[in-house]
Amino acid sequence: MRTGTAPEVPAPRAARWPAAVRWLAAVPWPTVVRPLLRTVMRRRPAPVGPSRPDQVRALVAVLDEAVAAQRPADEAVAACGEPGPVSRGAARDCGQQSIALHRLRARLQDLGTTDPDLVAAQARAARLLAYDLWMLRASMNLAFTARPVDRTETARLRLNGLGRPADDLRRLRDTLRAELSET
């Protein structure tokens, strides 16, 4: 017995597709897709980095500041090696110089040098600054130990500054500065 309703007839397959699919099916592919692919696949030129003289200038600028910061750091290390009790001012000076050298080392490592020779010079300068930082820390540890012993006191009294690595950093800066003046 029929109730008067027709059986449900499925809609044609194309009518069930979303509008975007119907549009893609109707698009003339060669005339639309090829220009889009050309636009997407177009190679962009590689970004051009700073020139070698610009990189040398940036490196020399940071090294100038590092060499200038070495003098107070050298004095702070030498103050920790003075005979007698070490003043609190020496500890403050070591701390301030340590902060300054940490900041300079971070700036040095953030330079975008790409030239292999300059990358090597940058790494060497970073190692020399790391030595300066170590020297500041070691001198503070020797000067402000909780339990001074004869061996520690003897080592402390031999402190007289940053030493040869400070000279090496100056020579590295001077070499790079000479290269800059030649160009």
Side-chain angles (χ1 to χ4, degrees):
M1 176 157 30
R2 289 189 113 164
T3 59
T5 59
E8 192 171 316
V9 178
R13 179 176 262 172
R16 289 184 285 173
W17 290 350
V21 173
R22 285 186 298 222
W23 179 81
L24 284 173
V27 168
W29 282 93
T31 58
V32 173
V33 174
R34 281 190 190 126
L36 286 174
L37 285 176
R38 279 189 210 118
T39 304
V40 171
M41 300 300 286
R42 185 175 299 144
R43 291 185 183 250
R44 296 187 179 155
V48 177
S51 66
R52 180 176 171 89
D54 290 339
Q55 292 178 31
V56 172
R57 256 184 236 104
L59 188 55
V60 166
V62 175
L63 290 179
D64 281 340
E65 290 181 47
V67 168
Q70 278 185 328
R71 182 179 192 96
D74 190 59
E75 292 170 357
V77 169
C80 288
E82 293 291 322
V86 182
S87 70
R88 288 183 294 174
R92 183 184 61 243
D93 292 344
C94 283
Q96 288 173 344
Q97 296 313 310
S98 181
I99 290 169
L101 290 178
H102 268 290
R103 288 180 180 160
L104 283 169
R105 187 164 184 246
R107 281 185 48 210
L108 181 69
Q109 290 174 333
D110 288 342
L111 290 176
T113 55
T114 56
D115 188 88
D117 295 337
L118 296 179
V119 170
Q122 178 183 1
R124 178 157 170 71
R127 284 192 306 271
L128 292 169
L129 283 175
Y131 172 81
D132 293 349
L133 287 165
W134 176 82
M135 204 53 199
L136 282 164
R137 182 67 163 174
S139 64
M140 284 188 0
N141 286 344
L142 288 172
F144 300 101
T145 183
R147 296 186 201 123
V149 294
D150 291 339
R151 197 171 107 206
T152 306
E153 188 64 18
T154 304
R156 183 185 74 80
L157 292 173
R158 290 191 344 207
L159 291 173
N160 62 358
L162 294 175
R164 189 184 61 122
D167 297 333
D168 291 345
L169 187 66
R170 265 191 297 279
R171 279 192 288 275
L172 177 63
R173 189 255 339 239
D174 293 341
T175 302
L176 289 171
R177 187 180 280 166
E179 177 187 328
L180 191 60
S181 66
E182 291 173 1
T183 57

